[in-house]
Amino acid sequence: MYKIELVKEHIMNEIEQGKIKKGQRLPGCREVAKKLSINKITVNKAYKSLEDSHILYSVPRGGYYFVGADVKEVITSKNIDFQNIKPDPTLLPYRAFTHAINRAIEEHKKKLFEYDTPLGLKSLRETLKERFEQNGIYTSSSQILITHGAQQGIYLALKALFPSLSSGKLLVEAPTYNAALDMAKSLNIDCIGIKRTANGIDLDELENILKKEPIKAFYIIPRHHNPTGYSLVEKDKKKLVDLCYKYGVLLIEDDYLADLGTDKRTLPLHYYDTNQLTFHIRSFSKTFMPGIRLGAMVIPNSFYDTMIKQKYLLDINTSSIPQGALDFFIKSGMYDQHIKKVNACYKRKLLKAKAILTYMCPAGLSFHVPKQGLFLWLTLPVEVSANRIIEKLAQNNIRVCSSSQFYITNGVEQNLRLCISAVPEEDIKALGAVIEAIKDEMRQ
């Protein structure tokens, strides 16, 4: 016991002297054991004792961290933006991509400065064909359309499926990506919602809707769902695709985070679709360079001519220079190296977020932190107003999203969506201030 207390005293002295900062990872057990000439098991017992006293918190296979006041205090010294979905600015590969642009211009020369086919740069489409095959998507390069971001892909699919004054309805998840809802509204598309929960989609409810309603297409985010962060399990994906085929419903699969830490055992809906019913949409904005606005989509054969015409009318073709640069970036291996770096950073953020939420979460508040992805999903107690929490946090320069904007009709406000992508790793501790604001509201 004396040696355990010796370790605890050593750690507390380090904290008091400012050598261990708030939210900082503590030295490993082996390092402290060597410094104090004691057994590392003793150090581990001391750390566990400090955790039981709520001085430290642990992350599975990630060590111990000092809780400190700043996990709980409201941070006012800088803006903490849990609303923004842009990538962490420290991860953007500016120099490498500049090199890729120069190499692309050297390789393609004048071709990148001329009009191209609406489908996009042929060499990039061929590169993506090979890359998609590694993810279980088997298609030809002529069925891949390069878009001005994934958002344009969603818009083109909706416009092709729902031309002016057409009949039929769009099925969407509830909640779902708010920009997709806005696009459907702008195109006067009648939408119906189906609940998306931690357990996925109720397939019996889905079949009932498909039986009763004239559903023409189903817009769905199967992996890394926005806003909840949930992912569908494989058996449900196959059944879902089979149901849509049975009732003649096309799928708009928004797989915008396919490259971000997706388990190789998980597959897109497109893999299970052997009947050419799926518009499969990808983005390079969330994991790479948002400013280049590049996305890609796989077009079903029956909509090929329509999509090419619409793309031409919209903007002729997506800019060729960033396409050429991305093509080189992927072929050179730099893209995969970049994705590994991004993935590692976001995993660390998610682990830290889960540790803080687990430690501080009061009874009545539930949360979901995925193993991979961008979003944290908090479900508030019924007596707590999401809007009041948002207002209170905004006064202290912390921004979060209410769930209301992710539904067909506003009004569902018992959830908060927090995105970790743009928040620096050291500022994830601001989650403590979010929880404290909720606790204050619960006490009132």
Side-chain angles (χ1 to χ4, degrees):
M1 287 300 297
Y2 166 75
K3 290 182 178 179
I4 290 175
E5 291 303 317
L6 181 68
V7 175
K8 290 166 67 175
E9 184 179 353
H10 168 73
I11 295 301
M12 294 308 296
N13 285 338
E14 295 280 279
I15 289 170
E16 288 173 10
Q17 293 171 24
K19 294 179 181 178
I20 297 176
K21 307 290 185 184
K22 301 166 185 177
Q24 181 180 323
R25 188 179 187 275
L26 269 68
C29 292
R30 192 183 300 276
E31 180 182 339
V32 175
K34 184 177 180 180
K35 187 172 184 177
L36 299 179
S37 301
I38 56 176
N39 193 297
K40 66 177 183 179
I41 296 174
T42 303
V43 177
N44 190 59
K45 288 180 179 178
Y47 279 7
K48 186 68 177 69
S49 176
L50 289 170
E51 182 182 23
D52 292 340
S53 301
H54 308 303
I55 294 168
L56 307 181
Y57 65 90
S58 62
V59 172
R61 296 183 295 279
Y64 286 86
Y65 292 78
F66 173 41
V67 172
D70 76 340
V71 171
K72 296 183 178 181
E73 72 186 3
V74 176
I75 298 175
T76 57
S77 58
K78 53 183 171 179
N79 293 321
I80 308 294
D81 192 352
F82 286 109
Q83 289 182 333
N84 209 317
I85 310 180
K86 69 180 182 180
D88 188 327
T90 64
L91 297 174
L92 298 180
Y94 298 112
R95 291 184 180 179
F97 194 66
T98 299
H99 173 64
I101 289 174
N102 292 333
R103 285 294 300 270
I105 291 173
E106 287 176 17
E107 181 178 339
H108 296 280
K109 297 187 169 59
K110 291 182 181 180
K111 184 174 177 58
L112 295 186
F113 298 92
E114 299 171 352
Y115 289 127
D116 198 1
T117 167
L119 281 172
L121 193 67
K122 184 178 180 181
S123 61
L124 175 58
R125 289 187 283 113
E126 290 173 345
T127 297
L128 291 179
K129 174 188 176 295
E130 294 178 9
R131 190 169 188 87
F132 286 0
E133 285 175 356
Q134 297 170 14
N135 302 146
I137 297 171
Y138 301 96
T139 187
S140 65
S141 61
S142 62
Q143 278 186 270
I144 296 175
L145 172 66
I146 307 301
T147 59
H148 197 67
Q151 197 157 314
Q152 187 186 63
I154 299 168
Y155 183 81
L156 287 170
L158 290 175
K159 198 157 177 57
L161 285 160
F162 297 91
S164 298
L165 304 176
S166 68
S167 60
K169 297 180 180 181
L170 176 68
L171 183 63
V172 298
E173 298 164 295
T176 192
Y177 179 38
N178 54 333
L181 294 176
D182 291 341
M183 282 185 262
K185 186 176 180 180
S186 73
L187 293 169
N188 296 312
I189 299 171
D190 193 3
C191 293
I192 293 177
I194 183 168
K195 190 179 291 185
R196 177 72 180 265
T197 69
N199 296 320
I201 290 171
D202 185 324
L203 296 175
D204 290 333
E205 182 188 356
L206 174 61
E207 183 158 25
N208 284 334
I209 292 173
L210 298 184
K211 279 180 182 177
K212 295 176 181 178
E213 299 286 349
I215 303 299
K216 196 169 188 179
F218 185 5
Y219 169 74
I220 182 170
I221 310 171
R223 306 191 282 192
H224 309 303
H225 182 252
N226 181 5
T228 66
Y230 301 136
S231 292
L232 295 180
V233 297
E234 295 308 296
K235 63 181 180 65
D236 286 352
K237 290 179 191 174
K238 187 176 188 316
K239 290 177 182 176
L240 188 150
V241 171
D242 289 344
L243 278 174
C244 287
Y245 174 64
K246 179 180 178 181
Y247 291 95
V249 173
L250 285 101
L251 287 159
I252 304 173
E253 179 181 24
D254 188 350
D255 207 10
Y256 72 111
L257 279 185
D259 286 334
L260 183 59
T262 300
D263 190 321
K264 297 301 180 185
R265 294 168 296 181
T266 71
L267 294 162
L269 295 178
H270 191 282
Y271 173 81
Y272 297 104
D273 173 19
T274 57
N275 298 288
Q276 290 271 329
L277 295 173
T278 305
F279 292 84
H280 178 82
I281 299 170
R282 293 284 188 97
S283 171
F284 296 98
S285 297
K286 306 298 182 291
T287 54
F288 188 45
M289 304 279 280
I292 65 171
R293 300 299 300 137
L294 283 182
M297 66 188 301
V298 179
I299 311 168
N301 275 333
S302 56
F303 284 86
Y304 183 86
D305 292 338
T306 302
M307 295 294 287
I308 298 303
K309 182 180 179 181
Q310 284 189 173
K311 174 63 176 172
Y312 179 80
L313 291 173
L314 202 60
D315 58 9
I316 301 179
N317 65 272
T318 301
S319 177
S320 297
I321 294 176
Q323 289 187 65
L326 179 60
D327 185 33
F328 173 79
F329 209 74
I330 294 172
K331 287 177 178 174
S332 67
M334 288 192 289
Y335 183 77
D336 283 331
Q337 291 175 6
H338 169 71
I339 290 299
K340 284 181 181 178
K341 182 180 176 183
V342 172
N343 217 2
C345 176
Y346 289 175
K347 276 187 176 180
R348 291 195 302 271
K349 290 183 184 182
L350 290 171
L351 279 172
K352 190 168 184 178
K354 188 167 186 178
I356 293 170
L357 291 173
T358 300
Y359 169 64
M360 295 189 66
C361 191
L365 172 68
S366 61
F367 64 87
H368 172 68
V369 180
K371 291 182 180 179
Q372 300 162 323
L374 304 179
F375 301 115
L376 315 177
W377 187 243
L378 275 59
T379 303
L380 302 171
V382 291
E383 71 272 16
V384 175
S385 164
N387 285 337
R388 285 202 298 269
I389 298 296
I390 291 168
E391 289 170 8
K392 185 176 291 188
L393 290 170
Q395 292 171 5
N396 294 285
N397 301 322
I398 299 174
R399 294 176 179 81
V400 299
C401 285
S402 164
S403 57
S404 62
Q405 63 187 288
F406 302 105
Y407 290 86
I408 297 171
T409 55
N410 289 345
V412 182
E413 298 177 355
Q414 285 310 119
N415 297 90
L416 298 176
R417 189 202 72 180
L418 289 81
C419 181
I420 54 96
S421 61
V423 179
E425 192 174 338
E426 65 271 16
D427 291 336
I428 293 296
K429 61 194 176 185
L431 283 171
V434 176
I435 301 302
E436 285 300 301
I438 295 171
K439 285 181 179 178
D440 287 344
E441 193 67 25
M442 290 173 70
R443 286 190 286 264
Q444 291 179 10

